[in-house]
């Protein structure tokens, strides 16, 4: 069974971070998937509606994997733009059941 973990990365650089870390993890790309949740919004500007894609959780990405092993941890931590895992870098825990279902619904 796959778990979901959350990581905080530099805001507005989430897609760039995922691209870089995916390149660094190309030798094991089947073991994890990275998700950055976005939504389409209709925003009214100067009387006209404009469609924009905005992040649901700016600065946070979600990792779908069985566990955060040492290899994954080191590569993610060394990739530019990484801040921390949630709960903390010393206590990395998967999302709880409530958060998991919320994320799964948004995916």
């Amino acid at each position: 069974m796959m778990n979901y973990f959350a990581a905080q990365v530099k805001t507005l650089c989430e897609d760039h971070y995922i691209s870089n870390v995916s390149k660094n993890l190309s030798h094991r790309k089947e073991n994890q998937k990275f998700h950055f949740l976005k939504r389409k919004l209709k925003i009214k500007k100067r009387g006209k509606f404009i469609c924009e894609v905005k992040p649901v959780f700016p600065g946070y990405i979600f990792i779908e994997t069985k566990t955060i092993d040492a290899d994954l941890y080191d590569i993610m931590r060394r990739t530019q733009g990484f801040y921390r895992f949630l709960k903390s870098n010393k206590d990395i825990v998967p999302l709880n059941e409530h958060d998991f279902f919320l994320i799964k619904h948004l995916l």
Side-chain angles (χ1 to χ4, degrees), residues 5-48:
F5 297 87
Q8 185 179 13
V9 298
K10 186 174 181 182
T11 304
L12 302 178
C13 297
E14 298 92 348
D15 288 323
H16 184 67
Y17 177 83
I18 290 172
S19 174
N20 286 342
V21 80
S22 295
K23 287 177 194 171
N24 295 335
L25 290 166
S26 62
H27 64 283
R28 52 175 281 164
K29 61 185 171 188
E30 303 84 30
N31 297 343
Q32 69 278 320
K33 283 186 185 176
F34 295 94
H35 303 282
F36 176 51
L37 303 177
K38 301 176 190 175
R39 62 184 169 174
K40 281 187 180 179
L41 297 173
K42 279 189 173 182
I43 299 174
K44 190 173 185 178
K45 288 187 180 180
R46 297 184 203 152
K48 294 183 179 180

Side-chain angles (χ1 to χ4, degrees), residues 14 29 46 51 59 64 71 73 77 87 89 98 103:
E14 298 92 348
K29 61 185 171 188
R46 297 184 203 152
C51 286
E64 181 181 355
D71 186 36
Y73 176 83
R77 198 172 54 89
K87 186 169 182 180
N89 284 346
H98 177 264
I103 298 302

